[in-house]
Amino acid sequence: MTENKEVPARTTGEEGKKSLNFIESIIEEDLKNNKNNGVVLTRFPPEPNGYLHIGHAKSICLNFGLAQRYNGKTNLRFDDTNPEKEEVEYVDSIMEDVRWLGFQWEGEPRYASDYFQQLYDWAVNIIKNGYAYVDDQPAELISQQRGTPTQAGIESPYRNRSVEENLDLFIRMKNGEFKEGEKVLRAKIGMTSPNMHMRDPIMYRILKREHHRTGNNWCIYPMYDFAHGQSDYIEGITHSVCTLEFEVHRPLYEWYLENVYTEGDIKPRQIEFARLNLSYTIMSKRKLLELVQKNIVNGWDDPRMPTISGLRRRGFTSASIRKFADTIGVAKRDNVIDVAVLEHSLREDLNQTAARVMAVLNPLKIVITNYPEDKDEWVKIENNPEDETMGTREMPFSREIYIEQDDFMEDAPKKFFRLSPGNEVRLKAAYIIKCEEVIKNTDGNITELRCTYDPDSRSGSGTEASQRKVKGTLHWVSAKHAIDVEVRLYDRLFNDEAPDGHKEKDYKEFINPESLKILKNCKVEPSLKDAQAESKYQFQRLGYFCVDKKDSKPGNLVFNRTVPLKDSWGKMNK
Ligand code: ATP
Ligand code: MG
């Protein structure tokens, strides 16, 4: 895990007992000074152009978490100023994901598009005050004229149009008299500013596209910078928390605010923190969309996707994601968090909450030759050794059982403590068995084992043999009682730590070909018969699994592997 060494995520607060991150320190200072009359209103402002991912989850937990901590509220605002890429499907998925994470926004969701009229009126005012002008140059030329960080920009020949002419042209832009790209409205700030974002940035562009909410009412659309801060201001946001790349936009955020601000109103303050980067993970919405569109994954909620809906389908709990967000804290400098930290947070949660059950993924049949053919027995077994209140259940035992193919070796090395010819193992919660004979088909593949059991050795029966120690304990299911299920073994989607960090190679070259293996002939204990969608289990000795919420049906259960019990990547790759 790459730790941020320069800026501690949390410092010790005044009372010494609770520690504050730097945003909490700012808010506490504001509260102490009664700034904003003690109000704390944050917002989460997604653009509805994709599904939310784990990076957004970090931002959601931060914004809603701050409000919860300071008795404030959080708005959900769709930043829908770009009609080209936005869709209602995304709006719906975003609301569902925020709620699933455990948060509820204040009132109705808001939309930047609801403020189009107000933004337009403000733009008109800014023109009237002489601080904005209509430029007839094409976008590429404007962009070339911006200069470089070390070289001043060039002023547009249209920069000194009269207020009257600018007003007339802007109104005609709004009325649809010009074609796309023919004109833009620019703020008149200065082409020599050392901050490139201040060099007469574009405020409005012409786009003759239908908007998912405002239809064809508008053919000019505000740029992100002009819409965002003003939307914060309209809503009375006190602390506008965003990621670091907007630090350089902050002077512009403040410039626009100054130009629309009325004394006495709440003035939002922009605060930047480092975005979440995770190893082995891509978080660019453009690339995630590409994976979906090229069918490299099966949709936005494919369990290998870092989207909230993908993580959910994979079996992540919302509590583990919230815990993760809290554990990593907020940093002021970019860093990369090891994805193992997220998986650790999940294992910790599931270890406490997931019921243990027995499942055999690659079954090998055993016939216990000295066990009566017509007998069934029910053995008692704990549901979760970490939590007594989860109780016990009964599992059937009979003459024919399945164990995992891996748990048997014909020519076993000395340290192999599972089953091998002539050796004994304990079947968890049941008897000690001994392998007497290996049955093979004509190809020489093992098809079945013949074993004997020690009738006095049943776990918990109190006999001397029940205490007898043998080296290995195996999970198993009774063959005639087991349910056939499909199991999907998911693994990390990329086999490189930084799949999009290679200059010469495309991130898609690092797709892990083993990221999904489908097993059709798995056997699970009968207590899982009515397992509900999304319920989570620990398959003993194998890992955590959940019932797939889309493809699993009663009588045709599908389980997703959420995570193995231990992190095997750490060892393999370091
Ligand atoms: P785009 O490139 O489309 O703007 P985006 O990831 O910034 O992508 P938004 O919908 O604008 O997407 O993001 C909504 C909010 O989530 C923003 O406040 C943004 O700063 C925050 N956010 C996005 N990605 C991360 C991340 N990796 N870590 C923390 N916060 C993030
Ligand atoms: Mg963004």
Side-chain angles (χ1 to χ4, degrees):
M1 173 171 158
T2 317
E3 273 285 347
N4 190 327
K5 299 219 171 52
E6 283 142 281
V7 187
R10 282 178 182 268
T11 54
T12 303
E14 274 173 26
E15 304 96 79
K17 55 177 190 280
K18 69 173 185 224
S19 58
L20 301 181
N21 66 44
F22 74 96
I23 303 180
E24 290 161 348
S25 300
I26 292 173
I27 295 180
E28 294 207 358
E29 186 66 23
D30 288 347
L31 289 174
K32 207 168 74 191
N33 298 328
N34 202 32
K35 192 181 168 191
N36 309 319
N37 303 317
V39 171
V40 173
L41 182 62
T42 59
R43 86 285 174 265
F44 175 63
E47 186 180 344
N49 61 351
Y51 279 59
L52 298 180
H53 55 56
I54 182 71
H56 295 115
K58 167 73 207 168
S59 173
I60 293 167
C61 292
L62 179 59
N63 278 296
F64 282 88
L66 287 168
Q68 281 174 352
R69 181 163 186 165
Y70 297 107
N71 213 4
K73 298 196 163 107
T74 305
N75 287 353
L76 172 65
R77 180 200 317 140
F78 292 101
D79 221 324
D80 57 349
T81 52
N82 185 351
E84 288 167 86
K85 295 186 270 175
E86 295 161 0
E87 281 177 35
V88 180
E89 178 197 345
Y90 298 137
V91 168
D92 294 341
S93 75
I94 288 169
M95 294 197 279
E96 180 171 352
D97 289 347
V98 174
R99 282 202 208 97
W100 179 75
L101 275 176
F103 299 109
Q104 184 57 53
W105 51 89
E106 169 63 8
E108 292 295 312
R110 289 143 216 264
Y111 296 84
S113 57
D114 290 344
Y115 311 139
F116 281 170
Q117 184 63 45
Q118 173 69 79
L119 292 169
Y120 173 80
D121 293 342
W122 274 330
V124 166
N125 267 336
I126 295 174
I127 295 173
K128 285 183 180 162
N129 294 334
Y131 288 113
Y133 61 96
V134 172
D135 196 337
D136 297 358
Q137 303 182 107
E140 292 121 70
L141 191 58
I142 292 177
S143 142
Q144 280 166 25
Q145 290 171 349
R146 277 177 76 212
T148 67
T150 51
Q151 201 183 2
I154 300 167
E155 290 191 359
S156 162
Y158 301 96
R159 194 170 197 266
N160 295 314
R161 277 178 158 152
S162 70
V163 167
E164 290 68 33
E165 189 182 4
N166 282 320
L167 261 185
D168 173 62
L169 289 172
F170 187 54
I171 291 168
R172 288 166 58 198
M173 272 170 71
K174 174 185 182 253
N175 291 342
E177 288 185 31
F178 306 112
K179 289 204 281 290
E180 278 189 19
E182 231 171 69
K183 289 190 169 31
V184 291
L185 182 72
R186 296 178 72 180
K188 193 169 177 178
I189 304 178
M191 293 307 289
T192 57
S193 169
N195 183 330
M196 299 271 291
H197 295 280
M198 298 294 273
R199 293 184 187 166
D200 290 9
I202 296 175
M203 293 171 68
Y204 270 91
R205 67 227 199 271
I206 300 170
L207 284 175
K208 304 212 164 165
R209 313 282 164 89
E210 189 170 309
H211 185 278
H212 73 116
R213 284 178 68 83
T214 58
N216 293 309
N217 292 352
W218 294 89
C219 61
I220 54 169
Y221 289 91
M223 299 298 288
Y224 173 87
D225 283 311
F226 184 59
H228 193 81
Q230 282 43 253
S231 301
D232 284 344
Y233 176 49
I234 291 169
E235 292 176 11
I237 300 299
T238 55
H239 300 86
S240 178
V241 179
C242 63
T243 42
L244 271 186
E245 67 273 24
F246 290 102
E247 190 169 15
V248 285
H249 294 242
R250 193 181 342 124
L252 183 55
Y253 182 96
E254 288 169 355
W255 189 92
Y256 282 137
L257 272 183
E258 285 311 322
N259 277 277
V260 302
Y261 185 71
T262 302
E263 210 45 54
D265 287 350
I266 282 177
K267 192 184 277 181
R269 170 169 175 189
Q270 176 178 310
I271 305 168
E272 309 86 14
F273 73 104
R275 66 169 46 232
L276 169 66
N277 298 305
L278 272 185
S279 64
Y280 295 95
T281 309
I282 55 162
M283 270 190 253
S284 146
K285 278 199 263 186
R286 186 179 56 75
K287 289 174 186 163
L288 295 176
L289 178 66
E290 187 183 19
L291 291 173
V292 172
Q293 285 178 336
K294 296 198 166 149
N295 293 316
I296 295 169
V297 296
N298 301 312
W300 284 98
D301 66 349
D302 184 299
R304 291 164 294 180
M305 289 282 271
T307 51
I308 296 176
S309 51
L311 294 169
R312 173 179 177 181
R313 206 173 149 197
R314 175 83 168 250
F316 276 73
T317 59
S318 55
S320 69
I321 295 176
R322 291 194 303 268
K323 177 81 189 305
F324 168 72
D326 195 50
T327 308
I328 58 175
V330 275
K332 279 187 182 172
R333 274 169 195 272
D334 281 319
N335 58 57
V336 179
I337 305 287
D338 192 330
V339 70
V341 178
L342 175 62
E343 293 163 352
H344 174 76
S345 168
L346 175 68
R347 284 193 190 94
E348 270 196 334
D349 186 25
L350 292 177
N351 183 40
Q352 296 299 321
T353 56
R356 274 58 171 165
V357 294
M358 296 225 220
V360 174
L361 302 187
N362 296 297
L364 172 60
K365 192 180 210 177
I366 290 181
V367 178
I368 301 168
T369 52
N370 59 340
Y371 195 90
E373 263 178 55
D374 51 358
K375 187 173 168 185
D376 287 351
E377 228 174 311
W378 292 75
V379 301
K380 196 169 172 181
I381 185 161
E382 274 175 309
N383 287 330
N384 187 344
E386 301 289 325
D387 181 359
E388 260 180 36
T389 65
M390 287 175 72
T392 58
R393 70 185 185 290
E394 308 251 297
M395 237 186 96
F397 184 84
S398 63
R399 179 180 159 96
E400 295 190 358
I401 60 162
Y402 293 112
I403 64 163
E404 213 64 66
Q405 285 169 18
D406 279 1
D407 281 337
F408 175 78
M409 260 182 110
E410 200 172 8
D411 299 306
K414 259 211 164 123
K415 290 237 157 113
F416 187 78
F417 296 131
R418 292 168 272 168
L419 197 60
S420 55
N423 265 351
E424 286 187 322
V425 289
R426 178 172 291 284
L427 296 173
K428 186 163 174 76
Y431 296 97
I432 293 173
I433 56 169
K434 182 176 180 183
C435 177
E436 310 283 359
E437 193 185 346
V438 181
I439 313 283
K440 294 182 184 171
N441 61 15
T442 45
D443 298 333
N445 295 322
I446 299 169
T447 53
E448 191 180 301
L449 303 177
R450 299 278 159 86
C451 296
T452 52
Y453 84 121
D454 172 355
D456 290 331
S457 65
R458 183 169 153 175
S459 292
S461 64
T463 61
E464 214 171 289
S466 72
Q467 314 279 352
R468 195 147 69 78
K469 292 265 177 289
V470 288
K471 285 262 164 66
T473 301
L474 304 186
H475 63 276
W476 53 275
V477 292
S478 160
K480 80 170 162 211
H481 300 92
I483 309 171
D484 289 324
V485 301
E486 176 179 326
V487 173
R488 299 175 180 171
L489 295 178
Y490 287 105
D491 203 345
R492 293 180 186 170
L493 184 56
F494 296 100
N495 51 23
D496 185 88
E497 256 180 82
D500 56 1
H502 299 260
K503 281 212 182 75
E504 278 104 54
K505 288 189 175 170
D506 185 80
Y507 74 98
K508 294 191 289 303
E509 291 183 40
F510 300 101
I511 300 258
N512 174 9
E514 313 260 277
S515 62
L516 171 58
K517 278 191 223 145
I518 298 179
L519 304 176
K520 296 272 189 190
N521 282 318
C522 308
K523 309 276 180 186
V524 300
E525 61 168 87
S527 72
L528 288 176
K529 184 166 153 285
D530 298 317
Q532 298 298 305
E534 298 200 273
S535 42
K536 297 159 179 68
Y537 301 93
Q538 185 193 99
F539 287 1
Q540 292 221 308
R541 300 178 61 229
L542 298 173
Y544 293 100
F545 293 74
C546 74
V547 180
D548 188 71
K549 78 197 256 267
K550 261 195 177 162
D551 299 337
S552 191
K553 304 272 166 338
N556 240 329
L557 295 175
V558 177
F559 286 88
N560 297 329
R561 181 171 68 190
T562 308
V563 273
L565 285 180
K566 289 202 180 87
D567 176 20
S568 54
W569 285 77
K571 276 180 257 132
M572 266 161 54
N573 292 289
K574 277 179 193 136

